[in-house]
Each structure stands twice: as C-alpha cells, then as structure tokens.
Amino acid sequence: MLRFMSQEKYSARELIGYELFLRELKEGQWVFPKDFGKFSQKDIASLLVSTIKSLPDSIQLVSLNLDQPQFIDSQYATELGAAQRDCPDTQIIVELTEHKYGINIGQLRSAASALQQQRLWVCLDDVGTGANDITLAEQMSDVVQEYKFALQNFRGKRDFITSVSPQLQFWWEQARINNTFLAIEGFEAQSDLKVATNYPADIVQGYYFGRPRLTELE
C-alpha cells in the first residue's frame, strides 16, 4: 500500500501547500520505498490525484520529489500532466533532487521543458548541493520556476546564521535575477526565523511550522 506523507508550506504565514513524501506500508510501518521503480508512473500519479482531492480546497500547490532518472522519464511527464489536468486548481511542482546520477544537463533541460508543457512547475531542490549547483541552475534558468534552499545542510555549524548567510544570500539573489520563486526549508526553531527576516522567501517550511504526517484519503 502506498500513501503520501505531507508537510506544510507557508507564504506570509498563510498555509498554501504541502510537500509530499511517498511512503510504503511495510510490517505495519510507513517507510520510504527501497525500490521506487516497482511502482508505475500511473500508480504514483493516481495516488497524487487522490491525495490532492483529500486536501482542503484552499491549498494552492503541492510538490513531490523525483531523482534524475525519474525526472527524465517521459512517462512521468505524461502521467503527472494528466494529474495536473485532473486537479486544475492546485499547482503540481516537481522537485528535482540534488542526487547525482551522471545524467547530462541537456537531458534534464529537455525533461524540464516537457514538464513545463504539461503545465507542471519545476523546482531545483537543495540548490548549491550535489548536482544542483550554479552551473545547472544557470543552464536551466528558463525552464525552472523555483529554487529550494535547505537550511538543514548547515546544521551543526558553530554559528548557524553566520554559516548559512553567504550561500543563502547568493541563491536569494539568483532567484531575483532569474525571476524564480524561492523556497526555504529546514526551519526548526523560532530563532531560525531571523533567516526569513533577512532573506524573505516566497515559501517556507520545516519542523517549526509542521512535521510530515500521513495524508488520509477520502
């Protein structure tokens, strides 16, 4: 059995959406699937539609993560495009993870363009880490609608705010240069909100605002 866990996304203190995390029921526990490929694109898209229709009508957007191999799979563009048409009032965002698989930028650009043609948005997840570096961002700037910056990548530093600020300022500026939405995730405590004050984002999320929880279907 498959379900999505959902974590709240906020804009200007208003709940506007959720990030969805795929989970599989194993021995009574909801766990991340070890074999993502055993589920068809149609099954995941169908679950996405059912999940969206179970959320409040006020929700404006949802996002889900795809690694590079799934991102360039044309069947995902087709099925997620169908899901977008089934849920026209909720924007579906495909987050391209930072995990490296050796897939070239040309393939990723083509895939992002195909998703865009299906009225889907593309987000570069965890910008500045892994495969989602500035080179990728620059070469995909015209087919990406959102950058997501992860505060959690800087946890454990002696001075968290000082450590995160140079990188966050860079991507904050890149978002404005490229007319791209900026999301910041990883807020865990009230003290982290200083980051949001210094670098106002379009979307914020993290444990401070809400932890992922299982989404019950109607």
Side-chain angles (χ1 to χ4, degrees):
M1 181 185 297
L2 284 179
R3 287 290 186 274
F4 279 115
M5 297 190 77
S6 57
Q7 184 178 33
E8 293 98 330
K9 294 171 178 275
Y10 284 85
S11 178
R13 300 185 180 181
E14 177 188 1
L15 176 63
I16 62 167
Y18 290 93
E19 180 173 1
L20 304 178
F21 305 95
L22 192 66
R23 293 295 183 265
E24 181 181 16
L25 186 61
K26 285 280 190 179
E27 298 179 355
Q29 299 292 323
W30 291 100
V31 298
F32 182 79
K34 290 184 177 180
D35 182 10
F36 193 88
K38 73 180 181 179
F39 306 109
S40 73
Q41 300 90 335
K42 190 176 184 65
D43 287 342
I44 292 173
S46 177
L47 176 62
L48 177 60
V49 170
S50 297
T51 301
I52 291 173
K53 291 184 176 180
S54 298
L55 298 174
D57 292 340
S58 59
I59 294 305
Q60 301 174 34
L61 55 87
V62 298
S63 66
L64 74 162
N65 300 293
L66 293 182
D67 286 335
Q68 289 184 354
Q70 289 79 41
F71 188 83
I72 66 170
D73 184 340
S74 62
Q75 195 61 33
Y76 269 105
T78 298
E79 295 297 342
L80 293 177
Q84 182 65 83
R85 290 189 292 276
D86 283 345
C87 304
D89 297 326
T90 303
Q91 181 62 56
I92 297 173
I93 303 172
V94 178
E95 296 192 19
L96 174 60
T97 73
E98 75 283 6
H99 305 137
K100 294 183 177 181
Y101 288 86
I103 293 172
N104 67 57
I105 293 177
Q107 289 176 284
L108 296 173
R109 271 188 55 83
S110 295
S113 179
L115 291 167
Q116 204 172 51
Q117 290 172 20
Q118 297 280 3
R119 295 185 54 246
L120 301 158
W121 284 8
V122 174
C123 167
L124 293 186
D125 194 16
D126 281 23
V127 286
T129 63
N132 292 348
D133 57 16
I134 184 57
T135 299
L136 179 70
E138 287 177 340
Q139 296 193 39
M140 293 184 62
S141 61
D142 60 325
V143 289
V144 168
Q145 287 72 46
E146 180 184 307
Y147 298 149
K148 177 180 273 190
F149 187 90
L151 297 179
Q152 61 266 28
N153 292 334
F154 294 83
R155 296 292 174 191
K157 304 290 184 182
R158 177 174 294 181
D159 188 332
F160 168 66
I161 298 295
T162 300
S163 298
V164 76
S165 291
Q167 281 291 315
L168 180 51
Q169 180 172 347
F170 175 80
W171 288 103
W172 186 84
E173 292 172 350
Q174 288 298 307
R176 273 137 191 82
I177 290 169
N178 294 309
N179 194 29
T180 303
F181 288 103
L182 177 68
I184 303 177
E185 66 174 342
F187 289 93
E188 294 183 1
Q190 188 170 6
S191 58
D192 294 345
L193 298 182
K194 183 179 179 181
V195 172
T197 301
N198 294 340
Y199 305 99
D202 301 290
I203 299 169
V204 295
Q205 69 180 93
Y207 288 174
Y208 177 78
F209 300 105
R211 292 176 176 267
R213 63 180 185 275
L214 192 68
T215 306
E216 298 293 342
L217 303 183
E218 291 182 346

Coordinates of all heavy atoms in Angstrom, one line a residue, residues 6-11 14-20 48 51-63 84 87-93 213 215:
S6 N 2.6 14.4 4.2 CA 2.6 15.8 3.7 C 3.2 16.7 4.8 O 3.0 16.5 6.0 CB 1.2 16.2 3.4 OG 0.3 16.0 4.5
Q7 N 3.9 17.7 4.3 CA 4.5 18.7 5.2 C 4.0 20.1 4.7 O 4.1 20.4 3.5 CB 6.0 18.6 5.3 CG 6.6 19.6 6.3 CD 8.1 19.5 6.4 OE1 8.8 19.2 5.4 NE2 8.6 19.7 7.6
E8 N 3.6 20.9 5.6 CA 3.0 22.2 5.3 C 4.1 23.1 4.6 O 5.2 23.2 5.0 CB 2.4 22.9 6.5 CG 1.2 22.2 7.1 CD 1.6 21.3 8.3 OE1 2.7 20.8 8.3 OE2 0.7 21.2 9.2
K9 N 3.6 23.9 3.7 CA 4.3 25.1 3.1 C 3.5 26.3 3.4 O 2.3 26.4 3.2 CB 4.4 24.9 1.6 CG 5.3 23.7 1.1 CD 5.1 23.6 -0.4 CE 5.9 22.5 -1.0 NZ 7.3 22.9 -1.3
Y10 N 4.3 27.4 3.8 CA 3.6 28.6 4.2 C 4.2 29.8 3.3 O 5.3 29.8 2.9 CB 3.9 29.0 5.6 CG 3.0 28.1 6.6 CD1 3.4 26.9 7.0 CD2 1.8 28.6 7.0 CE1 2.6 26.1 7.8 CE2 1.0 27.9 7.9 CZ 1.4 26.6 8.3 OH 0.6 25.9 9.1
S11 N 3.3 30.8 3.1 CA 3.7 32.0 2.5 C 3.0 33.1 3.3 O 1.8 33.1 3.4 CB 3.2 32.1 1.0 OG 3.6 33.3 0.4
E14 N 0.5 32.2 5.8 CA -0.7 31.5 5.2 C -0.3 30.1 4.7 O 0.7 30.0 4.0 CB -1.3 32.3 4.1 CG -2.5 31.7 3.5 CD -3.0 32.4 2.2 OE1 -2.4 33.4 1.9 OE2 -4.0 32.0 1.6
L15 N -1.1 29.1 5.1 CA -0.8 27.8 4.6 C -1.3 27.7 3.1 O -2.4 28.0 2.8 CB -1.6 26.8 5.4 CG -1.6 25.3 4.9 CD1 -0.2 24.7 5.0 CD2 -2.6 24.4 5.7
I16 N -0.3 27.5 2.2 CA -0.6 27.5 0.8 C -0.4 26.1 0.1 O -0.9 25.9 -1.0 CB 0.2 28.5 0.1 CG1 1.7 28.3 0.1 CG2 -0.2 29.9 0.5 CD1 2.5 29.1 -0.9
G17 N 0.3 25.2 0.8 CA 0.6 24.0 0.1 C 1.3 22.9 1.0 O 1.4 23.1 2.2
Y18 N 1.7 21.8 0.3 CA 2.3 20.7 1.0 C 3.4 20.1 0.1 O 3.3 20.1 -1.1 CB 1.3 19.6 1.3 CG 0.3 19.9 2.4 CD1 -0.9 20.5 2.0 CD2 0.6 19.7 3.7 CE1 -1.9 20.8 3.0 CE2 -0.4 20.0 4.7 CZ -1.6 20.5 4.3 OH -2.6 20.9 5.3
E19 N 4.5 19.7 0.8 CA 5.4 18.8 0.1 C 5.0 17.4 0.4 O 4.7 17.1 1.6 CB 6.9 19.0 0.5 CG 7.8 18.1 -0.2 CD 9.3 18.4 0.1 OE1 9.6 19.4 0.9 OE2 10.2 17.7 -0.5
L20 N 5.0 16.5 -0.6 CA 4.5 15.1 -0.4 C 5.7 14.2 -0.5 O 6.5 14.3 -1.4 CB 3.5 14.8 -1.5 CG 2.3 15.7 -1.6 CD1 1.3 15.3 -2.7 CD2 1.5 15.8 -0.2
L48 N -1.4 10.6 -6.3 CA -1.2 12.1 -6.2 C -2.6 12.8 -6.4 O -2.9 13.7 -5.6 CB -0.3 12.6 -7.3 CG 0.0 14.1 -7.4 CD1 0.5 14.7 -6.0 CD2 0.9 14.5 -8.5
T51 N -4.7 12.2 -3.3 CA -4.2 12.9 -2.2 C -4.6 14.4 -2.3 O -5.0 15.0 -1.3 CB -2.6 12.8 -2.1 OG1 -2.2 11.4 -2.0 CG2 -2.1 13.6 -0.9
I52 N -4.4 15.0 -3.4 CA -4.8 16.4 -3.6 C -6.3 16.6 -3.3 O -6.7 17.6 -2.7 CB -4.4 16.8 -5.1 CG1 -2.9 16.9 -5.3 CG2 -5.1 18.2 -5.4 CD1 -2.5 17.2 -6.7
K53 N -7.1 15.7 -3.8 CA -8.5 15.8 -3.6 C -8.9 15.6 -2.1 O -10.1 15.9 -1.8 CB -9.3 14.8 -4.5 CG -9.1 15.3 -6.0 CD -9.9 14.4 -6.9 CE -9.8 14.9 -8.4 NZ -10.6 14.1 -9.3
S54 N -8.0 15.1 -1.3 CA -8.3 14.9 0.1 C -7.8 16.1 0.9 O -8.1 16.2 2.1 CB -7.6 13.6 0.6 OG -8.0 12.5 0.0
L55 N -7.1 17.0 0.3 CA -6.6 18.2 1.0 C -7.7 19.3 0.9 O -8.6 19.3 0.1 CB -5.3 18.7 0.3 CG -4.2 17.8 0.3 CD1 -3.0 18.3 -0.5 CD2 -3.7 17.5 1.8
P56 N -7.6 20.3 1.8 CA -8.5 21.4 1.8 C -8.5 22.1 0.4 O -7.5 22.2 -0.2 CB -8.0 22.3 2.9 CG -7.3 21.5 3.8 CD -6.6 20.4 2.9
D57 N -9.7 22.6 0.0 CA -9.8 23.3 -1.2 C -8.9 24.5 -1.4 O -8.6 25.0 -2.5 CB -11.3 23.7 -1.5 CG -12.2 22.5 -1.7 OD1 -11.7 21.4 -2.0 OD2 -13.4 22.7 -1.5
S58 N -8.5 25.1 -0.2 CA -7.7 26.3 -0.2 C -6.3 26.1 -0.6 O -5.5 27.1 -0.8 CB -7.8 27.0 1.2 OG -7.3 26.1 2.2
I59 N -5.8 24.8 -0.7 CA -4.4 24.5 -0.9 C -4.1 24.9 -2.4 O -4.8 24.4 -3.3 CB -4.1 23.0 -0.7 CG1 -4.3 22.8 0.8 CG2 -2.7 22.7 -1.2 CD1 -3.4 23.6 1.7
Q60 N -3.1 25.7 -2.6 CA -2.7 26.2 -3.9 C -1.7 25.4 -4.6 O -1.7 25.4 -5.9 CB -2.2 27.6 -3.8 CG -3.2 28.6 -3.1 CD -2.6 30.0 -2.9 OE1 -1.7 30.4 -3.7 NE2 -2.9 30.6 -1.8
L61 N -0.9 24.6 -3.9 CA 0.2 23.9 -4.6 C 0.6 22.7 -3.7 O 0.4 22.7 -2.5 CB 1.4 24.8 -4.8 CG 2.0 25.6 -3.7 CD1 3.0 24.7 -2.9 CD2 2.6 26.9 -4.1
V62 N 1.1 21.7 -4.4 CA 1.8 20.5 -3.8 C 3.0 20.2 -4.6 O 3.1 20.5 -5.8 CB 0.9 19.3 -3.8 CG1 -0.4 19.5 -3.0 CG2 0.6 18.8 -5.2
S63 N 4.0 19.6 -3.9 CA 5.2 19.3 -4.6 C 5.6 17.8 -4.3 O 5.2 17.3 -3.2 CB 6.4 20.2 -4.2 OG 6.7 20.1 -2.9
Q84 N -2.3 16.9 -13.3 CA -2.4 18.4 -13.3 C -3.8 18.8 -13.9 O -4.5 19.6 -13.4 CB -1.3 19.1 -14.0 CG -1.4 20.6 -13.9 CD -1.2 21.1 -12.5 OE1 -0.1 21.3 -12.0 NE2 -2.3 21.4 -11.9
C87 N -6.6 18.1 -11.5 CA -6.6 19.0 -10.4 C -6.2 20.4 -10.8 O -5.1 20.9 -10.4 CB -5.6 18.5 -9.3 SG -5.9 16.8 -8.8
P88 N -6.9 21.1 -11.6 CA -6.5 22.3 -12.2 C -6.3 23.5 -11.2 O -5.7 24.5 -11.5 CB -7.7 22.6 -13.2 CG -8.8 21.9 -12.7 CD -8.3 20.7 -12.0
D89 N -7.0 23.4 -10.0 CA -6.9 24.5 -9.1 C -5.7 24.3 -8.1 O -5.5 25.2 -7.3 CB -8.2 24.5 -8.3 CG -9.4 24.9 -9.1 OD1 -9.2 25.6 -10.1 OD2 -10.5 24.4 -8.8
T90 N -4.9 23.3 -8.3 CA -3.8 23.0 -7.4 C -2.5 22.8 -8.3 O -2.5 21.9 -9.1 CB -3.9 21.8 -6.5 OG1 -5.1 21.9 -5.8 CG2 -2.8 21.6 -5.6
Q91 N -1.6 23.7 -8.1 CA -0.4 23.6 -9.0 C 0.5 22.5 -8.5 O 0.9 22.4 -7.3 CB 0.4 24.9 -8.9 CG 1.7 24.9 -9.7 CD 1.4 24.7 -11.2 OE1 0.7 25.5 -11.8 NE2 2.0 23.7 -11.8
I92 N 0.9 21.6 -9.4 CA 1.8 20.5 -9.0 C 3.2 20.9 -9.4 O 3.5 21.4 -10.5 CB 1.4 19.2 -9.8 CG1 0.0 18.7 -9.3 CG2 2.5 18.1 -9.5 CD1 -0.5 17.6 -10.2
I93 N 4.1 20.8 -8.4 CA 5.5 21.1 -8.6 C 6.4 19.9 -8.5 O 6.2 19.1 -7.6 CB 6.0 22.1 -7.5 CG1 5.1 23.4 -7.5 CG2 7.5 22.5 -7.7 CD1 5.4 24.3 -6.3
R213 N 3.2 14.3 8.0 CA 2.2 13.4 8.6 C 1.5 12.7 7.5 O 1.3 13.2 6.4 CB 1.2 14.1 9.5 CG 0.3 15.1 8.9 CD -0.6 15.8 9.9 NE -1.5 16.7 9.3 CZ -1.3 17.9 9.0 NH1 -0.1 18.5 9.3 NH2 -2.2 18.7 8.4
T215 N -1.2 11.5 5.0 CA -2.4 12.1 4.5 C -3.4 11.0 4.3 O -3.3 10.1 3.5 CB -2.1 12.7 3.1 OG1 -1.0 13.7 3.3 CG2 -3.3 13.5 2.6

